[in-house]
Amino acid sequence: MSKILFVMTGADHWTLNDGTRHPTGFWAEEAVAPYETFRAAGHEIVVATPGGVVPTVDKASLAAEVNGGQEGADRIAAALAAMTELERPVRLEDVDLGEYAAVFYPGGHGPMEDLAVDATSGRLLVDALASGKPLGVVCHGPAAMLAATRADGSNAFTGYEVAAFTDAEEVQGGLADKAKWLLQSRLTEAGVTVRAGEPWAPNVVVDRNLVTGQNPASSAPLATELLKKLA
């Protein structure tokens, strides 16, 4: 049984361009679906957050309309409650990459607030990419890639192909005009090639040891791809 590191946002809000705080955190499905896939395959999960704070779930991700109805929402809520690892995260600052077989970053708007500018997370991503270990990142999780700068100031993901939450999806979600910046645009500016699929449809991109997904619907297929690299 291998250990897989879940690096999760510690933010419970996303600061918009007018200074207001939009309540957020991590997106439930993006943690639950990979967790269940990895646990079913016999792997152990360790959650890490900046400062070791208990991660906040975005309440919008628990709504019936984003989970295929109330039954789906109830299942997600129950699965989340069973993820006891969320209650005892380790400090991201104390993580030793050598202890883990793979690294996974769930999304939600939270990473736009903290992981996008977190130097510790950035160094971990640089090291994970260089290690050849499977590295999975989904939805808004790729915001963390923006902090993955090398000593010379270049971004470690420059030249990689990724899937990430698209500007079109942000527009359709109603927050694009309120955002300080948009993920797809900022990644592109950093030299990362974003392979955008249809809004809200599963889209997984594999480039070397990096496996990325565009949106919540991509989290389960991403986990399956990541498991192939652990086999």
Side-chain angles (χ1 to χ4, degrees), residues 71-106:
E71 185 177 332
D74 291 344
R75 196 196 75 76
I76 282 282
L80 206 57
M83 289 175 62
T84 55
E85 295 89 348
L86 292 171
E87 301 164 13
R88 51 176 196 278
V90 301
R91 284 168 31 94
L92 184 57
E93 297 80 358
D94 297 335
V95 165
D96 177 359
L97 180 62
E99 297 179 4
Y100 300 94
V103 179
F104 174 68
Y105 278 67

Side-chain angles (χ1 to χ4, degrees), residues 123-148:
R123 285 191 298 273
L124 177 69
L125 284 169
V126 171
D127 293 345
L129 203 59
S131 74
K133 293 180 179 183
L135 171 61
V137 195
V138 70
C139 201
H140 287 92
M145 295 177 184
L146 298 171

